[in-house]
Amino acid sequence: MERYVCTICGYVYDPAAGDLENGIDPGTPFSGLPENWVCPICGAGKDVFEPA
C-alpha cells in the first residue's frame, strides 16, 4: 500500500500504521480514509496529500 505525504506539513500517512489516534486501523489504504479525515498534524484535508 502506498504512503501519502501532506504537502503542507510533511506528515506521512502510512497505511501499515494507520492513524490510531483518530480511529483509523492499521491496514487502511489512503483511499479508504473517510472524506472528513484531516492531517493529524496541521488539519489539512485529504486533497493536499500526494503519493510519497
Side-chain angles (χ1 to χ4, degrees):
M1 283 187 275
E2 194 167 21
R3 298 176 350 153
Y4 280 75
V5 63
C6 177
T7 59
I8 294 175
C9 73
Y11 168 80
V12 176
Y13 175 74
D14 182 355
D19 180 11
L20 293 176
E21 291 181 11
N22 293 298
I24 307 299
D25 292 330
T28 303
F30 189 79
S31 62
L33 295 173
E35 287 303 312
N36 63 349
W37 181 84
V38 295
C39 176
I41 304 298
C42 71
K46 288 176 61 177
D47 59 323
V48 302
F49 279 74
E50 295 180 347

PDB file of all heavy atoms in Angstrom, residues 5-12 39 41-43 49:
ATOM      1  N   VAL A   5       1.925  11.831   1.569  1.00  0.00           N
ATOM      2  CA  VAL A   5       2.536  12.891   2.363  1.00  0.00           C
ATOM      3  C   VAL A   5       1.704  14.173   2.250  1.00  0.00           C
ATOM      4  O   VAL A   5       1.210  14.519   1.179  1.00  0.00           O
ATOM      5  CB  VAL A   5       4.000  13.134   1.930  1.00  0.00           C
ATOM      6  CG1 VAL A   5       4.088  13.608   0.486  1.00  0.00           C
ATOM      7  CG2 VAL A   5       4.688  14.101   2.864  1.00  0.00           C
ATOM      8  N   CYS A   6       1.566  14.858   3.386  1.00  0.00           N
ATOM      9  CA  CYS A   6       0.871  16.153   3.417  1.00  0.00           C
ATOM     10  C   CYS A   6       1.814  17.193   2.832  1.00  0.00           C
ATOM     11  O   CYS A   6       2.945  17.355   3.307  1.00  0.00           O
ATOM     12  CB  CYS A   6       0.511  16.510   4.857  1.00  0.00           C
ATOM     13  SG  CYS A   6      -0.270  18.135   5.027  1.00  0.00           S
ATOM     14  N   THR A   7       1.364  17.903   1.804  1.00  0.00           N
ATOM     15  CA  THR A   7       2.217  18.888   1.144  1.00  0.00           C
ATOM     16  C   THR A   7       2.358  20.163   1.966  1.00  0.00           C
ATOM     17  O   THR A   7       3.170  21.022   1.639  1.00  0.00           O
ATOM     18  CB  THR A   7       1.674  19.233  -0.259  1.00  0.00           C
ATOM     19  OG1 THR A   7       0.347  19.752  -0.129  1.00  0.00           O
ATOM     20  CG2 THR A   7       1.669  18.006  -1.154  1.00  0.00           C
ATOM     21  N   ILE A   8       1.601  20.282   3.048  1.00  0.00           N
ATOM     22  CA  ILE A   8       1.697  21.473   3.892  1.00  0.00           C
ATOM     23  C   ILE A   8       2.720  21.280   5.016  1.00  0.00           C
ATOM     24  O   ILE A   8       3.598  22.105   5.208  1.00  0.00           O
ATOM     25  CB  ILE A   8       0.317  21.850   4.463  1.00  0.00           C
ATOM     26  CG1 ILE A   8      -0.589  22.276   3.316  1.00  0.00           C
ATOM     27  CG2 ILE A   8       0.434  22.949   5.518  1.00  0.00           C
ATOM     28  CD1 ILE A   8      -2.009  22.571   3.711  1.00  0.00           C
ATOM     29  N   CYS A   9       2.619  20.157   5.745  1.00  0.00           N
ATOM     30  CA  CYS A   9       3.484  19.988   6.911  1.00  0.00           C
ATOM     31  C   CYS A   9       4.462  18.821   6.815  1.00  0.00           C
ATOM     32  O   CYS A   9       5.353  18.695   7.642  1.00  0.00           O
ATOM     33  CB  CYS A   9       2.643  19.836   8.174  1.00  0.00           C
ATOM     34  SG  CYS A   9       1.797  18.236   8.329  1.00  0.00           S
ATOM     35  N   GLY A  10       4.283  17.940   5.820  1.00  0.00           N
ATOM     36  CA  GLY A  10       5.200  16.831   5.648  1.00  0.00           C
ATOM     37  C   GLY A  10       4.815  15.550   6.366  1.00  0.00           C
ATOM     38  O   GLY A  10       5.538  14.561   6.298  1.00  0.00           O
ATOM     39  N   TYR A  11       3.669  15.542   7.062  1.00  0.00           N
ATOM     40  CA  TYR A  11       3.207  14.321   7.724  1.00  0.00           C
ATOM     41  C   TYR A  11       3.017  13.224   6.673  1.00  0.00           C
ATOM     42  O   TYR A  11       2.494  13.481   5.588  1.00  0.00           O
ATOM     43  CB  TYR A  11       1.887  14.572   8.447  1.00  0.00           C
ATOM     44  CG  TYR A  11       1.182  13.318   8.909  1.00  0.00           C
ATOM     45  CD1 TYR A  11       1.566  12.661  10.066  1.00  0.00           C
ATOM     46  CD2 TYR A  11       0.125  12.783   8.167  1.00  0.00           C
ATOM     47  CE1 TYR A  11       0.915  11.506  10.489  1.00  0.00           C
ATOM     48  CE2 TYR A  11      -0.526  11.627   8.578  1.00  0.00           C
ATOM     49  CZ  TYR A  11      -0.121  11.000   9.746  1.00  0.00           C
ATOM     50  OH  TYR A  11      -0.762   9.858  10.155  1.00  0.00           O
ATOM     51  N   VAL A  12       3.451  12.011   6.994  1.00  0.00           N
ATOM     52  CA  VAL A  12       3.304  10.891   6.076  1.00  0.00           C
ATOM     53  C   VAL A  12       2.262   9.929   6.634  1.00  0.00           C
ATOM     54  O   VAL A  12       2.426   9.419   7.752  1.00  0.00           O
ATOM     55  CB  VAL A  12       4.641  10.156   5.855  1.00  0.00           C
ATOM     56  CG1 VAL A  12       4.429   8.928   4.980  1.00  0.00           C
ATOM     57  CG2 VAL A  12       5.660  11.093   5.231  1.00  0.00           C
ATOM     58  N   CYS A  39      -5.330  15.793   8.235  1.00  0.00           N
ATOM     59  CA  CYS A  39      -3.971  15.573   8.701  1.00  0.00           C
ATOM     60  C   CYS A  39      -3.933  15.756  10.217  1.00  0.00           C
ATOM     61  O   CYS A  39      -4.374  16.793  10.725  1.00  0.00           O
ATOM     62  CB  CYS A  39      -3.021  16.567   8.024  1.00  0.00           C
ATOM     63  SG  CYS A  39      -1.318  16.452   8.620  1.00  0.00           S
ATOM     64  N   ILE A  41      -1.537  16.428  12.071  1.00  0.00           N
ATOM     65  CA  ILE A  41      -0.562  17.445  12.487  1.00  0.00           C
ATOM     66  C   ILE A  41      -1.081  18.863  12.224  1.00  0.00           C
ATOM     67  O   ILE A  41      -1.106  19.690  13.120  1.00  0.00           O
ATOM     68  CB  ILE A  41       0.793  17.245  11.775  1.00  0.00           C
ATOM     69  CG1 ILE A  41       1.345  15.835  12.025  1.00  0.00           C
ATOM     70  CG2 ILE A  41       1.800  18.321  12.177  1.00  0.00           C
ATOM     71  CD1 ILE A  41       1.637  15.507  13.473  1.00  0.00           C
ATOM     72  N   CYS A  42      -1.510  19.124  10.979  1.00  0.00           N
ATOM     73  CA  CYS A  42      -1.878  20.505  10.626  1.00  0.00           C
ATOM     74  C   CYS A  42      -3.356  20.703  10.319  1.00  0.00           C
ATOM     75  O   CYS A  42      -3.797  21.834  10.135  1.00  0.00           O
ATOM     76  CB  CYS A  42      -1.029  20.993   9.455  1.00  0.00           C
ATOM     77  SG  CYS A  42      -1.417  20.217   7.870  1.00  0.00           S
ATOM     78  N   GLY A  43      -4.124  19.614  10.228  1.00  0.00           N
ATOM     79  CA  GLY A  43      -5.560  19.748   9.988  1.00  0.00           C
ATOM     80  C   GLY A  43      -5.955  19.921   8.535  1.00  0.00           C
ATOM     81  O   GLY A  43      -7.114  20.184   8.235  1.00  0.00           O
ATOM     82  N   PHE A  49      -2.786  15.952   0.059  1.00  0.00           N
ATOM     83  CA  PHE A  49      -1.857  14.835   0.162  1.00  0.00           C
ATOM     84  C   PHE A  49      -1.466  14.344  -1.224  1.00  0.00           C
ATOM     85  O   PHE A  49      -2.275  14.353  -2.142  1.00  0.00           O
ATOM     86  CB  PHE A  49      -2.471  13.691   0.959  1.00  0.00           C
ATOM     87  CG  PHE A  49      -2.391  13.875   2.447  1.00  0.00           C
ATOM     88  CD1 PHE A  49      -3.215  14.776   3.088  1.00  0.00           C
ATOM     89  CD2 PHE A  49      -1.499  13.142   3.216  1.00  0.00           C
ATOM     90  CE1 PHE A  49      -3.152  14.946   4.463  1.00  0.00           C
ATOM     91  CE2 PHE A  49      -1.433  13.291   4.589  1.00  0.00           C
ATOM     92  CZ  PHE A  49      -2.258  14.202   5.212  1.00  0.00           C
TER      93      PHE A  49
END
